Every structure is written in structure tokens, then in C-alpha cells.
Amino acid sequence: MAEIVYPPVIAAARTLFRVLDIRFHMEGTEHVPQTGGAVLVSNHISYLDFIFAGFAALPSKRLVRFMAKQDVFEHRISGPLMRGMHHIPVDRGAGAGSYATALRMLKAGEVVGVFAEATISRSFTVKEIKNGAIRMAQATNVPVIPVALWGSQRLWTKGRPKKLLQRHVPLTILVGEPMHPKRGENVNDHVTDLHTRLSELVDRAQRTYPEVPQGVWWQPAHLGGTAPTPEEAAAMDAAEAEARVRKD
């Protein structure tokens, strides 16, 4: 497919991050295959995660087609960019179409990006994950590549003001070894394995991060931060979902 929008967007992002002195640390990028389809699954802590998770594939010269909620495609600024980069809109009320699109792209040899937690984790730990990434990999016989991000929440996350021009922020991107779920194998077993792998990668990213201060909002509670615990975050998510239903 024609790539008119994606390359200049990447170039602009790289230039901005260079000016802001975003301090990237990347490991395991060799696990992203240079050819063929793959499902790239990242944890989700920031509204900017699709940019940084996509960076994990750049050393392999791959462009990732992310599955993202329909609202992003309807925005007057982000919409044309998302469509131009051939990302995949997801209508949560009718997800079969986006699932079929993702399968078609995987069969065509594309890398499809998935945030299996579906929404941003307020606790900055890995929430319960959906089984769609595993099912897509099984259906198309492609690997699942787990990716851990850490540091992006400091720039822009749920419930906090944007700090997009913050300078000198360390940004960790860890890519794990690929999984190879096959048709007929137990989906739930693979989902559990993926959750374990993501959690271990995220924990390593957090514990090896250049800055591990106590009492800051962007640090998880179990490492001394003031972020909500997973239980508190789940309650907040449930209240938000209930409020959304009442509004509709």
C-alpha cells in the first residue's frame, strides 16, 4: 500500500523527540520480524503509546498498523493522519469489521499493533487482557510480539494534564521474544502466557528505569508511587463505564 503519510509523520516525531531530548532505551527490537505478518502487543499507559510501540518495529524497517478506537479516526486532526497511516478503526459496538480488516492485513504480511488491555491502565500495571491478539495470530499463523513501554505516561496519560513538551524524559521500550500460538491450541492458556510476559517486561522496564523516585504520581503503588492500586484503578474504570452508559 502507498506510504505517503506514515514516513513523514515518523520523521517529524523523531525530530521533535530529538529536540526534547527524549532519552530512548530500546532492547529486543531484533524480535520484530523483517518480513511477514506479526501481531505486536503493547501495554497501555499513555495516549502516545502507538507512537512509541511503533518505534519498536523501526529497526526492522516495519510500519505497524494499530487498532484504535473509532473516535480517534473521527477527530479533525488525528483522523486524516490515522487513515493515511492505514491504522485500523475499532467500533467497540461492532468489532467484527475491524477484526476482519486486521486478519486481512496480517495475511498480506503487515504488522498489526494491539493494546490488549483495551484502555489505559491507571495503575501502570498490566490489566486483564483481551484474547483478540491471540485469536488473530492463530487464525493467520503469525507470531505475537510482546512490547513493554515505560515513561510515556509522564507525557500524557488519563486523568493528568498533557506535558507534551517536557524535556529529558527517559523512555524505555522492551521487546520480548515472540510467541507462536497455533490453531487448535487453548486460547486462554496463551492469553495467560501473554499477560505474564507483558507483566514481566513492564516490571523490568520499571525497575531498570533511570529514575525510580518515591511518592510520584507516575510510579505504580507497589514501587512506592502514588498511582492507584490495580483494585482502585478497576473501581475507577467501572465508575467511568457506568457514567458513560448513563450518558448514552
Side-chain angles (χ1 to χ4, degrees), residues 76-117:
R76 64 184 181 86
I77 296 176
S78 63
L81 292 174
M82 296 294 282
R83 289 189 292 273
M85 291 184 280
H86 307 292
H87 294 313
I88 305 168
V90 177
D91 182 346
R92 289 178 182 165
S98 57
Y99 183 81
T101 300
L103 292 183
R104 186 165 61 250
M105 286 191 169
L106 289 168
K107 290 175 182 177
E110 297 285 347
V111 179
V112 171
V114 176
F115 296 108
E117 298 165 276

Side-chain angles (χ1 to χ4, degrees), residues 198-216:
L198 275 175
S199 296
E200 290 175 350
L201 280 173
V202 170
D203 185 69
R204 180 157 68 89
Q206 292 169 341
R207 293 180 186 275
T208 60
Y209 194 65
E211 301 173 15
V212 191
Q214 300 288 301
V216 293

Side-chain angles (χ1 to χ4, degrees), residues 47 61 88 97 126 138 189 210:
Y47 293 112
K61 297 181 170 56
I88 305 168
V126 181
Q138 288 179 318
D189 288 346

